[in-house]
C-alpha cells in the first residue's frame, strides 16, 4: 500500500533556469531524503542490476562516456561522474536532447538526500501549454519507485507500474504531483493563473480526464 500523501509531502520541488553552452534552459529539480547510506542510494541509482527494480530495465555501459538506454524511455551519454556524489548525462527522447544532473548528499550515516535536476531547452509555446509538471510528474513517479525500493518493498514491473498509474490511487498521486509542481512554478515567479491552467492541462493528460 502506497501512502500517496506522505510521499508527495516528502518531496521538494523547484522550477528555475540554468545557462548552458547552448543558451538558457528551463529546469525542474526534485529532491527527497531517504533512510539509507549514500553508498546504497548511489548504487541503487547507478547499478544496472538494481535500476530495473524501481525504474525501468536499462542497457548499455553505465560508466563515464558510456551510452545507456532505458527500455521504452530515454537514452543518452554519461558525461560526468563523481561517485558517490553526482553524475551528469544527456537525456535523449523523442528526437530531443535534454540533460539530467543527479546529486547525492549524506545528511547522516544512514540518511541521504537525492536531488535530480532535469535541464531542457523548451520552446515558449510548449512551456505555455504544459509547464513544469509535464516532466515533473514523471520524476515524482521515479522517486516514489526509489522510495519503495530503498524501504525494502517488492519490485514492481513496468506493467504493474502502468496498472497502478491507471488506478484511482495512481491518478490521485499524479493530480497531487501536478498541483505541487504548479505551486513550485508560482514560487519561481510564474504567473499564477497561467501556471494553474498549465497544470490543469498536464494533470488531465496524465490522468486521461477532461480538463
Amino acid at each position: 500500500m502506497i501512502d500517496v500523501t506522505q510521499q508527495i509531502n516528502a518531496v521538494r520541488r523547484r522550477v528555475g533556469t540554468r545557462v548552458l553552452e547552448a543558451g538558457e534552459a528551463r529546469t525542474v529539480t526534485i529532491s527527497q531524503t531517504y533512510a539509507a547510506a549514500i553508498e546504497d542510494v548511489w548504487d541503487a541509482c547507478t547499478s544496472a542490476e538494481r535500476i530495473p527494480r524501481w525504474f525501468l530495465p536499462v542497457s548499455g555501459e553505465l560508466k563515464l562516456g558510456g551510452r545507456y538506454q532505458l527500455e521504452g524511455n530515454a537514452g543518452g551519454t554519461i558525461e560526468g561522474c563523481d561517485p558517490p556524489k553526482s553524475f551528469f548525462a544527456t537525456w535523449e527522447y523523442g528526437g530531443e536532447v535534454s540533460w539530467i544532473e543527479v546529486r547525492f548528499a549524506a545528511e547522516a550515516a544512514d540518511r541521504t538526500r537525492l536531488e535530480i535536476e532535469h535541464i531542457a531547452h523548451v520552446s515558449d509555446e510548449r512551456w505555455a501549454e504544459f509547464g513544469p509538471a509535464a516532466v515533473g510528474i514523471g520524476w515524482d513517479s521515479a522517486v516514489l519507485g526509489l522510495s519503495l525500493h530503498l524501504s525494502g518493498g517488492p519490485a514492481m514491473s513496468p506493467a504493474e507500474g502502468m496498472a497502478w498509474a491507471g488506478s484511482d490511487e495512481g491518478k490521485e498521486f499524479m493530480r497531487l504531483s501536478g498541483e505541487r509542481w504548479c505551486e513550485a512554478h508560482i514560487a519561481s515567479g510564474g504567473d499564477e493563473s497561467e501556471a494553474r491552467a498549465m497544470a490543469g492541462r498536464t494533470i488531465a493528460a496524465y490522468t486521461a480526464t477532461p480538463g
Side-chain angles (χ1 to χ4, degrees):
M1 187 70 176
I2 296 170
D3 190 328
V4 167
T5 301
Q6 181 184 59
Q7 175 62 28
I8 289 292
N9 290 339
V11 170
R12 298 292 175 264
R13 303 163 187 84
R14 295 196 313 272
V15 177
T17 59
R18 181 166 167 174
V19 177
L20 301 176
E21 289 184 10
E24 187 173 82
R26 301 184 191 275
T27 65
V28 298
T29 304
I30 188 166
S31 62
Q32 182 172 356
T33 296
Y34 296 103
I38 189 170
E39 293 81 7
D40 188 32
V41 182
W42 171 268
D43 187 66
C45 294
T46 59
S47 163
E49 191 271 328
R50 289 182 70 179
I51 291 171
R53 298 190 206 171
W54 61 271
F55 196 24
L56 291 167
V58 63
S59 57
E61 292 187 299
L62 303 186
K63 63 180 184 180
L64 185 61
R67 293 279 305 176
Y68 72 92
Q69 179 64 52
L70 292 162
E71 187 175 293
N73 203 295
T77 300
I78 299 167
E79 297 186 337
C81 188
D82 181 20
K85 297 178 181 179
S86 67
F87 66 85
F88 187 85
T90 62
W91 186 264
E92 303 169 22
Y93 183 74
E96 297 183 352
V97 180
S98 55
W99 299 264
I100 57 169
E101 184 168 356
V102 184
R103 299 180 285 266
F104 305 77
E107 296 189 340
D110 58 352
R111 285 180 62 81
T112 303
R113 173 159 288 274
L114 170 72
E115 188 170 78
I116 302 168
E117 183 178 12
H118 193 151
I119 309 146
H121 294 287
V122 182
S123 69
D124 290 341
E125 293 76 17
R126 184 184 300 181
W127 183 260
E129 185 173 5
F130 293 116
V135 296
I137 292 175
W139 286 116
D140 254 304
S141 299
V143 297
L144 165 61
L146 182 58
S147 183
L148 294 172
H149 172 63
L150 291 172
S151 65
M156 185 181 292
S157 70
E160 290 171 329
M162 288 291 290
W164 181 80
S167 70
D168 289 344
E169 186 177 66
K171 290 180 179 180
E172 175 68 2
F173 176 82
M174 289 184 283
R175 182 186 69 79
L176 290 172
S177 169
E179 290 178 355
R180 294 298 178 87
W181 281 109
C182 176
E183 292 170 9
H185 187 188
I186 294 168
S188 76
D191 178 88
E192 182 173 353
S193 62
E194 291 177 358
R196 295 199 186 283
M198 293 177 194
R201 288 189 287 269
T202 303
I203 291 168
Y206 268 94
T207 59
T209 57

